[in-house]
Amino acid sequence: MRAFVVTGPGRSGVQDLPEPVAAPGQVVVEITRVGVCGTDVEFFTGDMAYLGSGHAAYPIRLGHEWAGRVVATAADVDQGWLGRRVTGDTMLGCGRCARCRAGRQHVCEERYELGIRGGFAGALAERMAIPASSLHALPDTVDDMTGALVEPGGNALRAVWASGVEPGERLLVLGPGTIGLLAGLLARALGAEVHLAGRSERSRAFASSLGFAVSTVDALPPGPWDGVIDATNAPGMPALAVELVEPGRKVAYIGLSTTPSLVDSRDLLLKDVTATGILSGSPGLAGTIERYASGAVDPRPLVAATVGLAEVTDVLAGRRPGGAGAGPKFHVDPRR
């Protein structure tokens, strides 16, 4: 089968690899759509922290935002999965430790991360083997494009939950990239009043086209901000989030800077602010599928273009395909 492999910083391409086989507990999925994420770009540039920590190494097959159809199962897997359209969790825990048994496999010390950590091959391929325990069925009202937006949506939904905003309250989202926009859409569906702040004129214009109130950080309207989500990679934003949020309320951190981000614990304490970090979308995947399936949230406008495997290198290098829309997300159809 054809698969996209990164072999080193700036080095990547399509390779012919052996067909995957479902090991015990696994299924084989024919991949219909894959999202390209900022984490994938960091692997392509060599900046991904896991490369330095030893949790990941080249060569690596990326792809952790995906949708597909089950085409084979191991003998010990429920045969009812055959033919079903699915997406799946990125975080593959050991299944034995206390964290996994408590449903927190996304922080299992021995976890694999699909296409990211531990050498578990990702979805940028025609087919992929994956544990059946990580699957989530997609209803007919969730198409392939939307299905491949479930994983980032799960992250965004957890950030909205962590911000603590209720209907009618005001949420500030720092960073109108994919996660920030999804958080805005999900919070707006909840009934919150959402404002997005960003540096890029293009990203602000796109957020405005989705009906959001938008500004730069320097031109924010007056508060109060009942919750703040930092979805940026700027090291100064975590401290700003604490500064802007109402006393006694919550901030959620889902952006990740490549350099240390400093937050003064005195500011948290003296404002009685709760700060939550969001590592993964795992606990939010089912809720995201429900919101997509009901039509409460339609994330598809975020996808600027869908390309084939041979064009992934260009996307990772920051080159926008001809005819791409204004959205921040690019998808891959491995069948092309």
Side-chain angles (χ1 to χ4, degrees):
M1 67 167 185
R2 296 164 62 245
F4 181 84
V5 180
V6 178
T7 56
R11 301 195 304 273
S12 61
V14 179
Q15 298 182 8
D16 289 321
L17 298 180
E19 288 281 348
V21 176
Q26 292 186 343
V27 304
V28 174
V29 177
E30 181 180 63
I31 304 298
T32 54
R33 198 63 58 93
V34 189
V36 177
C37 163
T39 300
D40 302 323
V41 174
E42 290 184 353
F43 274 114
F44 179 74
T45 61
D47 294 329
M48 176 54 179
Y50 281 170
L51 293 168
S53 67
H55 287 307
Y58 299 117
I60 186 167
R61 196 173 92 202
L62 303 172
H64 60 277
E65 306 174 1
W66 60 274
R69 186 180 299 275
V70 177
V71 294
T73 69
D76 62 341
V77 171
D78 181 357
Q79 300 300 291
W81 282 114
L82 274 174
R84 298 196 72 176
R85 295 178 56 252
V86 294
T87 187
D89 201 339
T90 296
M91 305 304 212
L92 310 177
C94 71
R96 303 179 302 275
C97 69
R99 296 173 190 174
C100 285
R101 294 196 303 271
R104 301 195 307 275
Q105 85 288 344
H106 60 289
V107 290
C108 169
E109 189 65 29
E110 303 301 322
R111 71 185 180 274
Y112 294 100
E113 296 180 21
L114 181 72
I116 298 173
R117 172 174 160 147
F120 202 103
L124 276 174
E126 292 177 312
R127 284 167 289 283
M128 171 181 69
I130 189 169
S133 60
S134 71
L135 297 178
H136 288 259
L138 294 176
D140 292 340
T141 50
V142 176
D143 63 15
D144 292 338
M145 179 184 291
T146 310
L149 287 160
V150 167
E151 196 276 342
N155 282 275
L157 181 59
R158 289 193 67 211
V160 172
W161 288 339
S163 75
V165 293
E166 300 288 345
E169 294 187 329
R170 301 180 74 208
L171 173 68
L172 173 63
V173 180
L174 303 172
T178 297
I179 297 296
L181 289 166
L182 286 169
L185 291 170
L186 289 158
R188 189 166 67 185
L190 172 71
E193 178 186 335
V194 180
H195 186 95
L196 281 90
R199 293 179 300 179
S200 161
E201 182 176 348
R202 185 173 70 184
S203 65
R204 293 197 309 272
F206 180 72
S208 180
S209 76
L210 297 179
F212 290 112
V214 182
S215 72
T216 64
V217 169
D218 296 331
L220 286 172
W225 302 111
D226 301 302
V228 179
I229 295 174
D230 173 22
T232 75
N233 61 0
M237 290 299 103
L240 181 64
V242 177
E243 178 185 330
L244 292 172
V245 74
E246 272 288 282
R249 300 305 299 261
K250 299 178 180 181
V251 298
Y253 296 127
I254 194 167
L256 194 61
S257 172
T258 56
T259 58
S261 304
L262 303 180
V263 176
D264 192 331
S265 61
R266 294 171 297 184
D267 294 334
L268 290 171
L269 186 152
L270 293 172
K271 290 188 68 173
D272 200 32
V273 167
T274 300
T276 303
I278 306 297
L279 172 65
S280 86
S282 301
L285 298 179
T288 301
I289 292 172
E290 291 173 4
R291 286 159 176 78
Y292 290 175
S294 70
V297 174
D298 182 2
R300 291 174 295 183
L302 275 62
V303 179
T306 300
V307 302
L309 286 174
E311 299 165 273
V312 176
T313 294
D314 285 340
V315 170
L316 292 174
R319 295 186 285 271
R320 295 180 72 87
K329 176 62 72 174
F330 291 93
H331 274 182
V332 182
D333 183 342
R335 301 166 296 181
R336 292 189 180 183

